[in-house]
Amino acid sequence: MSLDTVKQAGETPEQSQPWAELGLKPDEYAQFHEILGRRPTSSELAMYSVMWSEHCSYKSSKVHLKQFGEKVTDEMRKPLLVGIGENAGVVDIGQGYAVTFKVESHNHPSYVEPYQGAATGVGGIVRDILSMGARPVAVMDPLRFGPADAADTQRVLPGVVAGIGGYGNCLGLPNIGGEVVFDPTYAGNPLVNALCVGVMRHEQIHLAKATGAGNQVILYGAKTGGDGIGGVSVLASETFEDAGPAKRPSVQVGDPFMEKLLIECTLEIFAEGIVSGIQDLGGAGLSCATSELASAGDGGMHVWLDRVPLRDSSLSPEEILMSESQERMMAVVEPAHVERFLEICAKWDVDATVIGEVTDTGRLRIEWHGELIVDVPPGTVAHEGPTYHRPFARPAWQDALQADVAEVLPRPQTGDELRATVLRLAASSNLCDKSWVTDQYDRYVQGNTVLAQPEDAGIVRVDDETGLGIAVSTDCNGRFAKLDPYAGAQLALAESYRNVAVTGARPLAVTDCLNFGSPEDPAVMWQFAEATTALADGCQRLGLPITGGNVSLYNQTGEQAILPTPVVGVLGVLDDVARRTPQGFREAGQQIYLLGTTREELSGSEWAHVVHSHLGGRPPAVDLDVERQLADILVNASRDGLIDAAHDLSDGGLAQALVESSLRYGVGCRVWLPDDLDPFVALFSESAGRAVVVVPRSEEVRFTDMCAARRFPHQRIGVVDGAAIDVQELFSLPLDELRTAWSATLPALFGP
Amino acid sequence: MRVGVVTFPGSLDDQDARRAIQVAGGEPVALWHGDHDLKAVDAVVLPGGFSYGDYLRAGAIARFSPVMTEVIAAAEGGLPVLGICNGFQVLCESHLLPGALVRNDHRKFVCRDQGLRIERTDTAWTSGYTAAQEVTIVLKNGEGGYVADELTLDRLEGEGRVVARYLDVNPNGSLRDIAGISNERGNVVGLMPHPEHAVEALTGSGTDGLPFFTSVLTEVVGG
């Protein structure tokens, strides 16, 4: 057994190394020689290989992502306490509170091992939020699967849902929303995104940096094991020639109980103000934490790697550096505070070990039993990875796709046909009742959940006394993004923004999870470029900063890429959550108004997808100025008590909005459709910038005056009443029949 | 009126139970699993959660924590004790209540607004309800199926110790729709649903759970 030390690397320049197997390119490997003035040791090679990977370095995406930092106005900067680049951005929500939120992907692990992949996805994003100094207060999970009735979906979905519930429920974090979407392109490439939101006082913000030579570096939480090492095994097998190839799992295994202790322990440590820098250990484990902390601080760190507590004593130093064992954090602590730090950890039965020290050498040096095995400038590992300018080009098929419009497809004509279509769509997998999924999540724990799924956005109260609260929604229609990636990304932004505003919350910030196919395909790269430009432009238009996010590429099987899926999360604030607007019809006699303009926009719609299995044409037009006006009306109407319910119009159009608002509390409506529109278009068009609101009779004049003063299109289309959806002169659909169809779909596929 | 809420490692609804006590007008007191100290409280709530991760049987390890020695002794002396969800599991493991809670019959975690009928209104925790009152209270559990042998079940029924029963839907396969039971004396109650998540109109499932907390305050003042 030989250890590859820095000394040895200097003496054996010719030794061959498995850089290609680690996914590195020849020029990248050559660059290491330039940086180090010698060949890298196997430990250094391991660190560079993971930190320069697509996942950690964003090498294909960063040329496009930089727009998020460039297209920024003063309005967008105003609420920002910490910008993009930290673990998660932080925004000011007033009353001395700050909020941090972020969405990340855990797509590939969740396909390999649905339960653990999804569970550790929750764990990772929660630690990200925690390491900013915030108490995590809620999670949400935007999920996408292959067709609901496909055999593999039967394997993946129940495991993913159980994993999210199993981990999140055990942490005591309410799950307040998310999405469940089915499309054939996600077969073999499910998307498991996880969002977490956390709250702190302004003075509690913590940053990931290691400053102050002599400060101690403490690793705390779970012991380090062989999980998540995957590809790096190739190094281990080379180092231990006699042992043969190591079989290390590439998916991590989660321990939510340990994470819960880690949360409580970390919050107690924050409360005492005894950490100067902190970071969670996620992808690339210790390689990432040590190099990022060091390069963000004074630039030097010395680590005694043999001090790392191990779950498996046979791990090599390369593997320890790579391990993605969950539930670990790293803190930088002044020597005077170390004892107290260790005491708090002991109180919570959390292992904590001083494994290193901040130095002023400008080098990250790692020792293994007295031998130097890593000696690198930490910035070269953490931040100076390669930048790719991948070719991108609008695919040749895009024109044909856009020419194949859904507006010409055969439509239901009669009242009976329309009725059957409403019922069929409501029971379709994308629009049906999702409680089979969401009832497996605890939405009540912490006692602050004001709204949760199936509401348009989730709302949690932040302050018991004042009622200050936050709203979060995530949305994306991948079909729209396929038809036009620029418009599709802005439609995702618009929908998420609208969903937050519908609840009465003022939108404040954006996070995104950009799920795409292979960046090596110029068509995919074009979709990505279009979508990022659209989001940067759109956020500028709406005046919202993008505070952080995540990119997931290679969601592709062979030539089949997923629908481009830029999931957008929007965070909003309510000064008093008692003012929130729920979704459901409740009080008979109240007036139903439709806000916004309905156009004949059926391409990419749920109707075209369900009834005709059709995807073509152009997505609905998006006008962010209209979205802003609509949001303004919704927020003001909520604040002034003018509306008692509101629901955004999106997938399935007006018909589905009426279905959902009626089923929420089992109170129906009588509706008359506008004379100037084909009833089918009125019911099923998916034009953006629209919502239905419910106005008490006593507020009707004030409400319509407000809309008129703003010249915003508003139209009374019905009244809350009865136990059916009664569309005048066309059809009547009893809620019992509707509920039976709507709620039977997922249990029929996945069991009671 | 001081009501203690025990925090075990992995307790989740402890702050919610403390809030509920406050909303009811009591003074919540945080108790720590590692202390042999009940801080002279007048009643104790064992909250929901996953104590010690519940990797063994739920509640099986919490039952041996130092604070439970004190809770068991005090409960046997008549101190009002309410175990909610994981707390109910701890009470069964402690043999303060008979029977056990097993994995839901459908094998999934379930979170729903659950209909209940309050069957007994002379316990320390349910005196604020009217006989046979029907209420809606949040239920959320993975191992909430109440089981006991026939003899025990008959005895519980015969002695009127079934405190609450599920209405309409049996959410977890509990025998005889049992949602909560008490000890013979009525001071110790175990309940699978979460009344602490039904004390405010704005959050949770309404305010139907509040009488659990007001009952004990009256009980202690009156007693």
Side-chain angles (χ1 to χ4, degrees), chain A residues 671-693:
Chain A
V671 170
W672 41 91
L673 298 175
D675 296 333
D676 53 344
L677 272 181
D678 171 2
F680 165 76
V681 171
L683 286 169
F684 296 102
S685 163
E686 297 188 7
S687 294
R690 298 184 301 158
V692 284
V693 295

Side-chain angles (χ1 to χ4, degrees), chain A residues 135 165-166 168-173 254-258 260-261 264 347-349 436 438-451 461 464 576-580 750-752, chain B residues 7-16 19 22 32-33 48-55 103 106-113 137-141 194 196-197 200-205:
Chain A
R135 172 176 275 280
N169 296 344
C170 199
L171 293 186
L173 292 178
D255 174 359
F257 174 57
M258 174 53 77
K260 170 68 178 168
L261 298 183
E264 297 303 331
K347 174 188 165 187
W348 288 100
D349 294 322
W436 189 93
T438 56
D439 280 359
Q440 295 187 52
Y441 307 150
D442 183 347
R443 60 185 173 274
Y444 290 121
V445 67
Q446 294 197 3
N448 286 314
T449 305
V450 175
L451 292 182
R461 180 173 59 189
D464 280 20
D576 183 1
V577 289
R579 280 261 158 261
R580 90 283 182 226
F750 299 102
Chain B
T7 298
F8 299 103
S11 289
L12 304 177
D13 304 279
D14 45 345
Q15 62 165 23
D16 311 320
R19 182 191 284 119
Q22 200 149 24
W32 183 245
H33 73 106
F50 294 79
S51 54
Y52 299 91
D54 281 348
Y55 292 134
R103 195 156 167 73
H106 47 79
R107 322 303 289 168
K108 298 192 300 288
F109 187 93
V110 62
C111 174
R112 65 193 310 270
D113 297 355
I137 290 181
V138 167
L139 174 105
K140 52 193 187 77
N141 66 258
H194 287 259
E196 81 281 17
H197 287 295
E200 291 182 286
L202 196 59
T203 59
S205 61

Side-chain angles (χ1 to χ4, degrees), chain B residues 158-206:
Chain B
E159 294 173 358
R161 287 163 56 195
V162 175
V163 171
R165 243 186 264 269
Y166 298 118
L167 277 181
D168 306 325
V169 174
N170 182 332
N172 45 31
S174 286
L175 298 179
R176 304 193 191 180
D177 298 333
I178 289 174
I181 57 171
S182 76
N183 66 349
E184 286 169 46
R185 197 164 166 176
N187 64 310
V188 177
V189 169
L191 189 70
M192 195 38 62
H194 287 259
E196 81 281 17
H197 287 295
V199 298
E200 291 182 286
L202 196 59
T203 59
S205 61

Side-chain angles (χ1 to χ4, degrees), chain A residues 27-344:
Chain A
D27 57 317
E28 291 170 355
Y29 183 61
Q31 228 175 314
F32 304 152
H33 289 75
E34 228 166 89
I35 293 167
L36 300 172
R38 55 173 166 78
R39 74 162 173 87
T41 65
S42 58
S43 294
E44 290 165 343
L45 186 61
M47 291 178 76
Y48 279 114
S49 75
V50 296
M51 290 301 290
W52 286 26
S53 69
E54 187 65 62
H55 182 73
C56 293
S57 75
Y58 293 85
K59 57 190 170 188
S60 300
S61 56
K62 62 187 173 191
V63 293
H64 302 285
L65 295 176
K66 67 173 197 256
Q67 299 176 82
F68 295 165
E70 289 166 358
K71 294 179 177 170
V72 178
T73 62
D74 286 344
E75 181 191 12
M76 292 159 75
R77 271 188 212 102
K78 210 171 131 218
L80 265 187
L81 299 173
V82 175
I84 205 164
E86 284 293 335
N87 285 327
V90 180
V91 287
D92 181 8
I93 58 162
Q95 301 180 17
Y97 286 101
V99 164
T100 180
F101 80 134
K102 189 176 174 184
V103 57
E104 272 193 352
S105 62
H106 229 222
N107 302 339
H108 301 114
S110 302
Y111 177 65
V112 177
E113 214 296 82
Y115 186 99
Q116 292 297 344
T120 54
V122 176
I125 192 67
V126 167
R127 283 193 304 282
D128 248 8
I129 294 306
L130 179 64
S131 63
M132 294 306 296
R135 172 176 275 280
V137 296
V139 293
M140 310 176 77
D141 293 272
L143 306 176
R144 285 168 173 78
F145 302 100
D149 54 2
D152 201 45
T153 305
Q154 301 283 322
R155 172 187 73 93
V156 177
L157 183 143
V160 163
V161 172
I164 290 166
Y167 203 97
N169 296 344
C170 199
L171 293 186
L173 292 178
N175 193 315
I176 58 169
E179 302 161 83
V180 182
V181 178
F182 300 94
D183 187 90
T185 65
Y186 301 120
N189 293 282
L191 301 186
V192 176
N193 295 173
L195 179 147
C196 181
V197 53
V199 174
M200 72 200 105
R201 303 293 299 173
H202 284 186
E203 61 275 14
Q204 286 171 329
I205 297 171
H206 281 77
L207 300 178
K209 60 180 181 183
T211 51
N215 283 349
Q216 302 294 292
V217 177
I218 300 177
L219 178 66
Y220 68 111
K223 290 183 168 58
T224 299
D227 6 11
I229 293 175
V232 182
S233 308
V234 64
L235 280 171
S237 57
E238 195 196 54
T239 313
F240 304 102
E241 277 157 9
D242 51 343
K247 295 269 194 296
R248 302 293 190 194
S250 43
V251 176
Q252 313 87 330
V253 175
D255 174 359
F257 174 57
M258 174 53 77
E259 179 112 333
K260 170 68 178 168
L261 298 183
L262 203 56
I263 292 172
E264 297 303 331
C265 169
T266 303
L267 290 172
E268 197 166 323
I269 287 162
F270 286 153
E272 298 207 5
I274 55 174
V275 282
S276 24
I278 192 155
Q279 177 151 16
D280 64 303
L281 271 70
L286 279 166
S287 299
C288 181
T290 54
S291 63
E292 288 194 353
L293 277 169
S295 64
D298 298 343
M301 188 184 286
H302 195 101
V303 174
W304 293 273
L305 196 63
D306 46 275
R307 293 188 189 173
V308 172
L310 299 181
R311 212 157 60 208
D312 169 357
S313 60
S314 75
L315 291 180
S316 70
E318 295 88 344
E319 290 174 318
I320 295 167
L321 284 167
M322 290 312 94
S323 165
E324 295 189 347
S325 285
Q326 300 291 292
E327 295 93 25
R328 297 181 300 162
M329 305 271 286
M330 183 173 279
V332 178
V333 182
E334 286 177 26
H337 295 315
V338 168
E339 193 184 336
R340 181 62 192 141
F341 187 101
L342 298 178
E343 255 174 40
I344 296 173

